[in-house]
Amino acid sequence: MNVVEKAYHSPVGRFVVRKAGLKDPPKLRRGRVLPAGPVVLGEVRPGTEEEPGAGLVRRTMALVDVPVAEALRDVPELRVPDDKGRAQPPRYDTAPGAIIVDATRVRAIGDLEEIRQLLRPIMRSLEPSGRVIMVATDARDVDGWEAHAVAQALDGINRSVGKELRGGSTANLIFVRVDTRPSDLASTISFLLEGRSAFVSGQTWRVGRAQFVHELSDRPFDKRVVVVTGAARGIGEQIARVFARDGATVVCIDLPQSGAALAAVANQLSGSALQLDITSPEAGRRIAEHVARVHGAATRIWAIVHNAGILRDKLLANTDERLWAPVLEVNLAAEMRVNDFLLNNDVHGGLGEEARIVGLSSTTGVAGNRGQTNYAASKAGIIGAVRVMAEDLRERGVTVNAVAPGFIETDMTNSIPFVQREIFRRTNSLQQGGKPIDVAETLAYLCDPASGAVTGQVLRICGQNVIGQ
Ligand code: NAD
């Protein structure tokens, strides 16, 4: 139990929570763990096998190696009367662990009725930490106002379902292109079904077509070098641990003053430590030289996780240039300089072909926040950079993404007064704060070799926080 959990379970903490009429939040299923109950699949207007993309989800499930059962539908003739003779939607015999709705054929407003039919019976039958996953066609591949309106309507359904689900269950929507293959979608479906996506809910993101095909693996980073900045503590330390668990040789970077903690993390993970201020103009070169020297001259970096970040919170009226510049420098400018250097193919120890670049944004970067104009600028800047870099590097097979965590239980957030912290925790659909591992697992999914079709995306890890929704 960490410090935060101890505070929550302390007599005072429990007293405050009870007095406020709050229940214990649901315990979330985490890690590489599939749902216990059956995974059901509901296809809307299945179409013929000859059509591009037909049966995409069913074929993806074969790759993910999870059997599927047919989903029940709420149609009047299937409704069963309860004791009082009122018609109830059909109920599943065994609580399903997940429903995957293949909505790739949905084009008309009338088609949304089928979505309602598939989702209604599941809403009260899902097991705890269950999953609602919808897969639909990216609006860029559909013609006409109605199909565009319907794609957006699915987003509205997804967000509302996420808010109605209970017991730690999540809802997410994935848009695919008409040329997306099962091998492109498999890593996303696997991530969403497993406990790795515990704190990701109410989100919509896009899966396209990868330049290179890789199979799913439990140790996707075997023989691969991954660089993590700010790895001495907090979220960065957990990121390093998850990548090492999944096979990576991790280069852990942090400031010289965190040297002892940094060395301890790197040693435990059999990785290497580099004491470096990432704002140094030489940072990119220092990283490449370290990788080539310690891990072999021919080594290329598979992924870089730009996690190092700082806060200098003040109302804008009180923010002078000394509070402004370092935040923009550490959280945004340094990352861009390091990327530019490491992407240069002539550099030994630089980023390889097909590399993965991920940044840490924040829900503050999405929604803004009082007292955090400098931080919001830096974290929103990451989102802008991700979009343009992803396009520039698409042909090379390099992916560029970001995550935007909400309230995560760390030393940083532990310094917030208890009552305020409890409010932050509770204002999301999962009614609790996330854990550093939730951020780490999402980053590992984005950096997975099998996630080459996921680029230019910003995933919120916030339990569907009300802010910025
Ligand atoms: P933290 O302060 O606990 O850890 C940040 C680490 O980065 C520290 O070890 C620090 O020494 C290192 N660092 C700072 N400046 C550096 C520099 N110039 N060079 C090298 N290393 C440097 O923070 P955290 O809570 O673990 O957050 C990690 C990241 O996640 C940050 O980018 C933060 O903005 C982001 N984030 C956190 C939350 C949250 O709730 N904790 C929410 C949204 C986003």
Side-chain angles (χ1 to χ4, degrees), residues 229-236 253-255 258 276-279 306-310 330-331 360-363 375 379 404-413:
T229 68
R233 68 175 202 193
I235 295 173
I253 297 178
D254 213 299
L255 292 167
S258 303
L276 173 71
D277 182 339
I278 56 158
T279 64
H306 293 288
N307 163 77
I310 57 168
V330 176
N331 296 2
L360 268 283
S361 180
S362 162
T363 45
Y375 186 73
K379 295 298 184 180
F407 184 84
I408 305 296
E409 310 275 11
T410 62
D411 289 346
M412 191 180 84
T413 50

Side-chain angles (χ1 to χ4, degrees), residues 149-227:
V150 162
Q152 198 63 36
L154 289 169
D155 188 70
I157 292 172
N158 178 50
R159 288 165 192 255
S160 303
V161 168
K163 288 177 180 177
E164 287 190 16
L165 288 171
R166 289 289 170 266
S169 292
T170 66
N172 289 287
L173 168 64
I174 304 301
F175 282 119
V176 293
R177 306 300 301 257
V178 283
D179 62 356
T180 298
R181 300 156 294 189
S183 59
D184 297 317
L185 185 58
S187 73
T188 300
I189 296 291
S190 163
F191 169 70
L192 282 171
L193 283 176
E194 290 181 12
R196 290 183 285 149
S197 60
F199 206 56
V200 178
S201 190
Q203 304 308 300
T204 296
W205 71 96
R206 295 171 197 282
V207 173
R209 186 180 173 93
Q211 297 285 341
F212 303 91
V213 172
H214 291 275
E215 284 178 11
L216 286 182
S217 159
D218 281 350
R219 287 180 62 86
F221 306 114
D222 264 345
K223 301 195 177 65
R224 291 187 155 99
V225 169
V226 174
V227 174

Side-chain angles (χ1 to χ4, degrees), residues 82-134:
D82 67 4
D83 314 344
K84 295 185 179 128
R86 290 173 305 204
Q88 298 292 307
R91 287 195 73 88
Y92 287 88
D93 295 336
T94 312
I99 182 168
I100 309 185
V101 176
D102 183 343
T104 52
R105 319 257 119 208
V106 171
R107 297 288 184 276
I109 295 167
D111 297 341
L112 296 173
E113 160 60 14
E114 282 197 56
I115 304 287
R116 186 201 65 76
Q117 287 178 11
L118 286 163
L119 294 183
R120 188 179 177 201
I122 207 92
M123 293 304 289
R124 297 246 167 93
S125 359
L126 261 186
E127 69 178 25
S129 286
R131 298 285 188 262
V132 173
I133 304 166
M134 287 195 286

